[in-house]
């Protein structure tokens, strides 16, 4: 444990510069923040004294230029820094912390959902924490509302983050635009230690350099001739790393690309610096991201080494592609999660589909729930092959998951409420009997149609309108089927009046076949057509027996009585 004290002159100048009170510097992690701000922004020596137990004494030692960054590193990596402190996260206790870090330059799509899902499952599998971090440093490309929509869609999908811009958390803020000071500190520290340098090139000149290099068949590189932004100095000798999916990897980035910008002229960091700084300060233990970032990992490891930090474990997920092997594109309007939500696709079905086409699970069956995905997840089973997504299978997956929800009493209640909204929206002005909005009636419809429909919205299409609106049937329509309309209708009306309130599809099917034989000159097929027309106004649909059970005894009687009143002039 260390207790550190600044000399009064140094404390005064430093605290005045950053508007900090001396009383704020009361814990080791707070000391780290204050010291980090001072040593990375002041060229003057800073006298530091300490009383240390179990560590090297620095009493009354002026900091030299090259030792400033190492002092900061030591403060942040000591074992006694509490994980709850923002500036000194640690995973030495074995805690699993993963993050999904999208850019709000667009709305959440299937590829992003899959990455978020694998992170969520991995965290829950190991009792860890799932974090949403918004990487909004590209200010010119931000899409209004995308940040809120991303978190909305994660919650809708059933994979809510434990820490996020909306929920908060101990290691926030969770928007990169609110963490700029941290990136500035890191960038200045890299410059201070000789790992980075200033570059003042204009965008136009850099573009000309790039075009000239490409024209001559060379790799575009910065030629070190003008300063303005901060560039990280790439070094050769990158150590190989073991990816949890792709195995051992090594990319000598210094040989194939120029020194990357880590801090832009507008004061915002680039992805490479920001994600390294945030992953470290947020205590990320495992980085699960798309395989398109695999080649950049060596660059990130160089940054970790330059900053003196231990990197997390990496697992790069194979790409999610269209069925024909082409890349998913944001230009495909049908890959955005909000589109699936609006189309009535269940979140469980969407998650099941995106994992079914890939790898990483003990089984590959349709109909897996979240608890199944968590229990069956095995990172060692993730292959390097791209996953081919067949969107045409969505109705099949949705049908199975809708059936499961109908069978679950709690989830069924939610379906009833959703369907009530759909009915009122589609038929508000046409409904004659408000009983069709009763929960018991809708529940009966759902149970009868279970396994036959792929979404709730199907039940408000014209083919099912008879469930909510009484149909209009003309004398000419029934006359085209049989001349025995009065006889057949009276026969079936007396039959249904004699039944109890509880009707059975199986029993009715047998009784209808027997009664149909009482028709003198009308075939069984035409008798069923007449009954179907009377009940629904349609010539196709569920069985007549199911229609009768769906509508209920009272409504069937009403519709048969209406059929008896038809005349040639009606």
């Amino acid at each position: 444990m260390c207790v550190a004290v600044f000399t009064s002159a140094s404390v005064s100048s430093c605290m005045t510069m950053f508007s900090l009170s001396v009383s704020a510097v009361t814990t080791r992690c707070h000391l780290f923040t204050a010291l980090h701000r001072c040593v990375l922004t002041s060229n003057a020596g800073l006298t530091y004294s300490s009383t240390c137990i179990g560590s090297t004494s620095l009493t009354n030692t002026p900091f030299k230029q090259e030792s400033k960054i190492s002092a900061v590193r030591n403060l942040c990596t000591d074992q006694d820094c509490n994980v709850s402190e923002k500036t000194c996260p640690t995973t030495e206790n074995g805690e699993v912390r993963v993050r999904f870090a999208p850019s709000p330059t667009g709305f959440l799509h299937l590829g992003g959902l899959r990455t978020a899902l694998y992170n969520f499952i991995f965290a829950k599998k190991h009792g860890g924490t799932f974090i949403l971090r918004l990487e909004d440093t590209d200010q010119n490309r931000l899409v209004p509302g995308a940040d809120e929509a991303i978190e909305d869609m994660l919650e809708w999908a059933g994979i809510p983050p434990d820490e996020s811009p909306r929920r908060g958390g101990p290691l926030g803020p969770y928007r990169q635009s609110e963490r700029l000071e941290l990136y500035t500190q890191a960038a200045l520290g890299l410059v201070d230690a000789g790992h980075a340098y200033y570059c003042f090139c204009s965008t136009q000149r850099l573009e000309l350099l790039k075009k000239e290099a490409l024209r001559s068949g060379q790799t575009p590189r910065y030629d070190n001739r003008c300063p303005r932004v901060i560039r990280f100095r790439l070094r050769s000798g990158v150590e190989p790393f073991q990816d949890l999916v792709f195995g051992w990897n090594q990319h000598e980035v210094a040989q194939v690309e120029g020194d990357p910008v880590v801090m832009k002229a507008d004061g915002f960091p680039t992805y490479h610096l920001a994600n390294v700084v945030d992953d470290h300060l947020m205590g990320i233990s495992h980085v699960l991201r798309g395989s398109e970032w695999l080649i950049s990992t060596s660059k990130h490891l160089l940054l970790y080494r330059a900053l003196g930090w231990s990197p997390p474990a990496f697992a790069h997920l194979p790409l999610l592609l269209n069925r024909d092997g082409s890349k998913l594109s944001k230009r495909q309007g049908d890959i955005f999660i909000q589109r699936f939500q609006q189309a009535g696709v269940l979140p469980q079905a969407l998650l099941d589909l995106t994992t079914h086409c890939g790898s990483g699970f003990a089984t590959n069956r349709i109909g897996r729930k979240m608890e199944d995905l968590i229990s069956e997840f095995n990172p060692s089973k993730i292959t390097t092959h791209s996953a081919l997504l067949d969107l045409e299978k969505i109705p099949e997956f949705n049908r199975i998951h809708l059936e499961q929800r109908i069978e679950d009493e709690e989830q069924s209640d939610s379906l009833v409420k959703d369907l009530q909204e759909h009915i009122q929206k589609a038929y508000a002005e046409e409904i004659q009997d408000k009983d069709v909005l009763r929960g018991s009636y809708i529940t009966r419809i759902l149970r009868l149609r279970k396994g036959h429909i792929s979404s709730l919205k199907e039940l408000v299409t014209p083919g099912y309108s008879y469930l909510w609106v009484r149909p209009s049937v003309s004398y000419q329509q029934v006359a085209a089927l049989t001349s025995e309309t009065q006889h057949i209708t009276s026969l079936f009306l007396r039959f249904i009046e004699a039944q109890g309130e509880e009707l059975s599809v199986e029993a009715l099917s047998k009784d209808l076949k027997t009664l149909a034989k009482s028709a003198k000159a009308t075939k069984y097929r035409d008798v069923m057509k007449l009954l179907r027309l009377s009940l629904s106004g349609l010539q196709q649909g569920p069985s007549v027996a199911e229609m009768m059970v769906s509508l209920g005894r009272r409504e069937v009687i009403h519709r048969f009585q209406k059929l008896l009143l038809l005349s040639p002039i009606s």
Side-chain angles (χ1 to χ4, degrees), residues 473-495 497 515 518-522 526-527 530-531 534 559-570:
V473 180
S474 68
Y475 176 84
Q476 289 73 20
Q477 285 177 291
V478 298
L481 294 173
T482 177
S483 59
E484 298 182 278
T485 299
Q486 292 289 317
H487 170 66
I488 294 171
T489 304
S490 298
L491 183 68
F492 280 90
L493 180 58
R494 286 194 297 272
F495 165 77
E497 286 175 336
L515 283 171
S518 301
K520 300 175 182 178
T522 307
D526 291 328
V527 171
L530 175 65
L531 297 180
S534 171
R559 296 189 186 192
F560 281 169
Q561 288 175 336
K562 186 177 177 182
L563 185 62
L564 284 175
L565 298 175
L566 287 179
S567 65
I569 59 173
S570 63

Side-chain angles (χ1 to χ4, degrees), residues 94-98 120 122-130 162:
E95 179 188 7
V96 168
R97 289 176 62 83
V98 297
F120 178 88
F122 187 84
K124 301 312 169 186
K125 178 85 172 182
H126 299 285
T129 302
F130 172 53
D162 300 301

Side-chain angles (χ1 to χ4, degrees), residues 499-519:
Q499 303 300 307
E501 291 298 326
E502 295 295 325
L503 302 177
S504 161
V505 173
E506 185 178 358
L508 276 177
S509 296
K510 294 179 181 178
D511 293 336
L512 292 178
K513 288 182 180 179
T514 301
L515 283 171
K517 295 177 182 177
S518 301

